[in-house]
Amino acid sequence: MICSASRAAAIALSDAGVKVITHVPGYGGNEIIADYESATGKKITISFNEEPALTIAHGAAIAGARSAAVIKTHGLTKGANSILDSLYTDLTAGMVILAGDDPAGSHSDNIFEVDKFLEGISIPFRQAWGHIYQDIQECYELSEELRLPVVLLVNAGGLSYQCEFERKKEAAVPREYQRNVISHVVHPYFAIDQYKRFCEKIYNGVFPGHEESEVPDLDHVLPKQYKRTVNIYRPVFEVFNNYRGKIVTGDTSITSSFALPPYNSIDIVTHLGGSVPLALGVMLAGFQDVWAVTGDFGFLSMGMNGVMEALNRGLNPKILIFNNGSAGATGGQLINNGLLNKALEPFSEYVKEINISYESENLPEFFAEIKESRKLRIGRIITAD
């Protein structure tokens, strides 16, 4: 088959069985997405920021659906927080980041040597050189071999050039998500082990296995400075476990400790504020009744972007915000509570509040109403007077 490189890339994504595609408009990516929509008749919803776009794709790949993020190379730096944490998880299905490069700076505000950046963060990457269809297929194979995301750099200026390839349309191998805390929860306690596993993948090309039995109880690993807050949260998670969905996502905060036994309340955790876009990726992979757990600091950091993504895509996750008025995981810095009020004001029709300081007995009703709702729900759990 002979066609333009951008159309070859679009066909490759279709033939590889990619289920979830996120896209932030930019030079190179625009051409690929336009050809994808033309070739498949599917409409791709745009994202406005690379960090949630990458996290949505990451959540989908963990949940078992092949995914792609189609962005500019400059956007890789904006989404670096998401990329870095994705390297310390194990994907269930392949994830490829198609990054449109603009080495001449013809459509960019500066010239960016992206290869130096990618080498610095040690993510696997390839450069497309005239065989983009095969390159995409091979990137998915590599991603699933290492269970890591892979970047394919695409020279945006060359996407109009003709290329020849032989189609290889094969259904993606079904990959079933299985809960595994060490594989899917980025947490300080696991940092050394996850880094060693990452090095095995990158430097030795080996995917090391591990067992769920390696996960310690929460109380065995809980830092002293977290204990007071965790003790306040315990009764909330004890009730929450009776209402939680199939998959619960979180972000790097004190609440992520409840991924550990005996609670096992959270399943996937990455960067601060990443819980909501992770949940959206899981939903796009085919799961329903998905919950996202975050804190007020994390929500203000990036959770609002996640809510906008949900509204833009017509998705209805259940979002829990633990509102304690401080950045508990980073030293207890105080948060102006008025900021969270203002941030939630545009979403007031979706918000339900409870103050567990004096109405904890209403937690079952609180969670039941959120679970039974068919629309987006944001549960604000106030833990401070």
Side-chain angles (χ1 to χ4, degrees):
M1 183 171 182
I2 300 176
C3 63
S4 68
S6 62
R7 192 167 187 85
I11 294 171
L13 291 173
S14 177
D15 287 356
V18 177
K19 184 174 182 178
V20 177
I21 298 176
T22 60
H23 169 56
V24 178
Y27 185 41
N30 293 348
E31 291 78 0
I32 293 173
I33 292 299
D35 277 330
Y36 180 85
E37 291 179 337
S38 172
T40 65
K42 299 176 182 177
K43 182 68 176 176
I44 300 300
T45 302
I46 65 169
S47 293
F48 301 92
N49 183 292
E50 283 81 0
E51 190 171 6
L54 287 160
T55 306
I56 290 170
H58 183 215
I62 287 179
R66 278 189 171 182
S67 68
V70 184
I71 60 179
K72 275 188 67 172
T73 53
H74 289 67
L76 291 170
T77 60
K78 192 184 296 184
N81 197 29
S82 176
I83 293 173
L84 286 173
D85 275 11
S86 71
L87 299 178
Y88 297 96
T89 64
D90 294 334
L91 300 182
T92 306
M95 172 182 171
V96 175
I97 303 168
L98 287 174
D101 194 15
D102 184 17
S106 59
H107 290 70
S108 306
D109 50 3
N110 57 56
I111 294 176
F112 171 45
E113 296 185 20
V114 63
D115 55 329
K116 304 296 192 299
F117 169 75
L118 296 174
E119 289 169 0
I121 63 174
S122 300
I123 188 171
F125 73 95
R126 300 287 185 270
Q127 177 78 55
W129 293 109
H131 302 285
I132 193 168
Y133 181 94
Q134 294 91 330
D135 291 332
I136 289 173
Q137 296 274 355
E138 290 172 4
C139 282
Y140 277 104
E141 292 172 3
L142 178 62
S143 175
E144 289 173 347
E145 178 184 342
L146 298 179
R147 301 195 188 182
L148 290 173
V150 174
V151 175
L152 181 62
L153 296 176
V154 179
N155 189 324
L159 284 173
S160 62
Y161 298 164
Q162 298 292 293
C163 64
E164 184 175 359
F165 60 93
E166 183 178 345
R167 293 187 68 171
K168 181 184 177 184
K169 187 173 183 179
E170 296 180 1
V173 177
R175 296 176 182 271
E176 183 178 352
Y177 163 80
Q178 293 184 344
R179 185 180 192 272
N180 192 314
V181 170
I182 300 177
S183 289
H184 303 142
V185 173
V186 178
H187 189 279
Y189 179 79
F190 302 131
I192 293 176
D193 180 64
Q194 289 173 341
Y195 177 70
K196 289 179 179 177
R197 290 164 50 75
F198 169 68
C199 290
E200 281 290 302
K201 296 177 183 181
I202 292 296
Y203 301 118
N204 298 325
V206 174
F207 173 72
H210 52 221
E211 301 297 332
E212 184 74 14
S213 60
E214 298 175 25
V215 180
D217 285 353
L218 179 150
D219 288 320
H220 291 162
V221 303
L222 192 65
K224 183 183 297 185
Q225 64 270 27
Y226 289 2
K227 286 187 177 180
R228 180 180 177 277
T229 303
V230 164
N231 286 336
I232 293 172
Y233 292 172
R234 286 181 195 272
V236 178
F237 280 99
E238 287 169 358
V239 177
F240 171 64
N241 277 354
N242 296 320
Y243 298 92
R244 57 157 288 168
K246 172 65 175 177
I247 297 180
V248 180
T249 61
D251 51 47
T252 48
S253 65
I254 292 178
T255 55
S256 67
S257 299
F258 286 88
L260 303 175
Y263 296 92
N264 302 309
S265 302
I266 301 175
D267 308 304
I268 305 171
V269 174
T270 58
H271 60 91
L272 185 69
S275 59
V276 180
L278 276 174
L280 301 183
V282 171
M283 296 185 78
L284 290 171
F287 289 87
Q288 300 301 316
D289 192 18
V290 180
W291 296 62
V293 177
T294 187
D296 39 11
F297 189 94
F299 184 79
L300 289 168
S301 170
M302 204 190 71
M304 289 187 296
N305 284 342
V307 174
M308 297 306 294
E309 287 276 359
L311 293 172
N312 194 34
R313 297 171 182 277
L315 297 175
N316 301 313
K318 318 298 184 185
I319 302 169
L320 299 181
I321 304 173
F322 280 79
N323 179 194
N324 66 358
S326 68
T330 57
Q333 295 84 357
L334 295 180
I335 298 171
N336 182 341
N337 207 42
L339 291 178
L340 185 60
N341 292 337
K342 290 184 181 297
L344 290 175
E345 189 174 335
F347 313 122
S348 59
E349 65 180 287
Y350 308 111
V351 177
K352 181 176 178 61
E353 295 184 358
I354 187 170
N355 190 322
I356 62 171
S357 297
Y358 55 83
E359 52 179 332
S360 59
E361 70 277 4
N362 295 330
L363 278 168
E365 178 186 346
F366 173 81
F367 285 126
E369 182 177 329
I370 293 174
K371 184 177 181 65
E372 292 166 7
S373 175
R374 292 181 177 272
K375 65 180 182 179
L376 171 70
R377 294 295 277 167
I378 301 174
R380 182 181 185 182
I381 303 172
I382 302 170
T383 64
D385 294 331

